[in-house]
Amino acid sequence: MIILSNNQNKPGASSFFGVQREIYLALESSPETHQYDSMHELLFDILLRENIIKAARQLYASRVEFAPFNTSRFNPRIWRGTKYGYLLDPSVLPSDAIMDVFTNSWEYAFECTTAIVLIFYKAVMDSISVSRFNTLFQGLLVWDWNYDHDLSIVTTRGRYFIPGDVVYFYNPDYDHPVWTGENSVYLGGGMFFGHGVGMESEAGMIRALNTLRKPGATRDAYLISQHSRLNVKYLSQFAKRPLSIV
């Protein structure tokens, strides 16, 4: 359920269209309370979620390959490999570096967790001013769950997913550690995107992971009751402009 502070009136679903309408309806019908200090904050959450979904679809359509760390690659003109991940060249703007992943995608190969972090960065970049993005995210180090504290990812338990949430399909009988599970963006409409598996329904994601189990495996993969979200209250202060219902 959506609650606006100070008894502010909520917008109606008719104020939104397409993916934004689906996000609004999911927030409003959620058994969780989604508390916002202002209309701006609510609209920013909807915008950010829409941009997470867009970035996930862009990565799905790209030429980025799936790879564990030992065979991974990042554009060497922009990123420097270290034993902890890929460090941004200080001469390159963070916004240019994140955009490069999507525009020169053939230069990249990484696993699903890194994909999620890069999707989050792209969505935030598309939702706030570029100058703010470049100020907030200097010195990026990317791999696995390495991310700048200003990205502010919050993971909590819960089974009711809102489009734009990141969820995890666990594969207990994995054949290779890289397939322990699959971090995925919930796209809405019962569909998920996980880098390395692709765009699938919940059943499709489980079927795919079940093909990546050790011989004699007896336990199916499954979607755990957990979701990861960005800290909208913090990030909304950097929006490109004040957001309101016209």
Side-chain angles (χ1 to χ4, degrees):
M1 182 179 184
I2 296 170
I3 297 195
L4 288 175
S5 298
N6 302 319
N7 297 316
Q8 299 172 74
N9 291 325
K10 292 183 288 190
S14 60
S15 301
F16 304 96
F17 302 92
V19 173
Q20 288 199 358
R21 181 181 174 87
E22 184 178 2
I23 293 167
Y24 176 86
L25 289 172
L27 288 167
E28 180 65 348
S29 61
S30 171
E32 301 175 60
T33 297
H34 295 272
Q35 178 92 35
Y36 301 94
D37 291 339
S38 64
M39 181 72 75
H40 168 82
E41 197 174 287
L42 166 61
L43 297 179
F44 183 84
D45 191 11
I46 293 171
L47 173 66
L48 182 60
R49 289 176 175 279
E50 180 184 31
N51 285 334
I52 290 169
I53 293 166
K54 286 180 179 178
R57 291 184 178 277
Q58 288 168 355
L59 192 65
Y60 173 66
S62 77
R63 294 168 59 186
V64 174
E65 296 178 6
F66 181 89
F69 189 63
N70 62 339
T71 57
S72 64
R73 65 180 187 275
F74 272 51
N75 189 339
R77 295 183 298 277
I78 292 177
W79 305 87
R80 178 170 58 85
T82 74
K83 65 179 181 179
Y84 302 109
Y86 289 87
L87 185 64
L88 177 62
D89 185 311
S91 69
V92 179
L93 289 173
S95 58
D96 291 340
I98 296 302
M99 184 59 71
D100 190 73
V101 176
F102 294 83
T103 57
N104 294 316
S105 56
W106 58 89
E107 298 271 14
Y108 294 84
F110 44 73
E111 44 64 73
C112 68
T113 309
T114 301
I116 293 300
V117 172
L118 290 167
I119 285 168
F120 275 158
Y121 277 130
K122 177 66 162 57
V124 171
M125 185 179 73
D126 291 341
S127 304
I128 71 175
S129 70
V130 173
S131 61
R132 286 284 198 174
F133 185 88
N134 289 329
T135 299
L136 289 170
F137 299 114
Q138 299 176 47
L140 291 181
L141 175 68
V142 176
W143 190 264
D144 197 51
W145 284 117
N146 288 314
Y147 59 87
D148 190 285
H149 72 276
D150 282 301
L151 194 58
S152 196
I153 301 172
V154 180
T155 299
T156 55
R157 294 195 59 77
R159 183 72 188 188
Y160 191 93
F161 305 128
I162 310 295
D165 279 352
V166 165
V167 301
Y168 188 65
F169 290 86
Y170 178 50
N171 190 19
D173 286 341
Y174 59 88
D175 186 35
H176 186 284
V178 76
W179 292 116
T180 303
E182 181 77 346
N183 291 283
S184 306
V185 175
Y186 178 50
L187 304 171
M191 296 298 291
F192 301 83
F193 166 68
H195 179 56
V197 171
M199 200 175 295
E200 294 283 354
S201 65
E202 178 178 346
M205 296 292 287
I206 290 169
R207 279 196 302 270
L209 287 172
N210 281 349
T211 68
L212 299 164
R213 294 179 297 173
K214 62 189 177 184
T218 59
R219 295 177 294 176
D220 285 341
Y222 60 92
L223 177 58
I224 69 173
S225 297
Q226 173 183 297
H227 46 68
S228 296
R229 298 167 176 170
L230 295 179
N231 187 336
V232 169
K233 192 177 298 295
Y234 173 70
L235 290 170
S236 62
Q237 66 184 305
F238 307 116
K240 294 178 183 178
R241 62 186 184 281
L243 301 174
S244 61
I245 295 290
V246 177

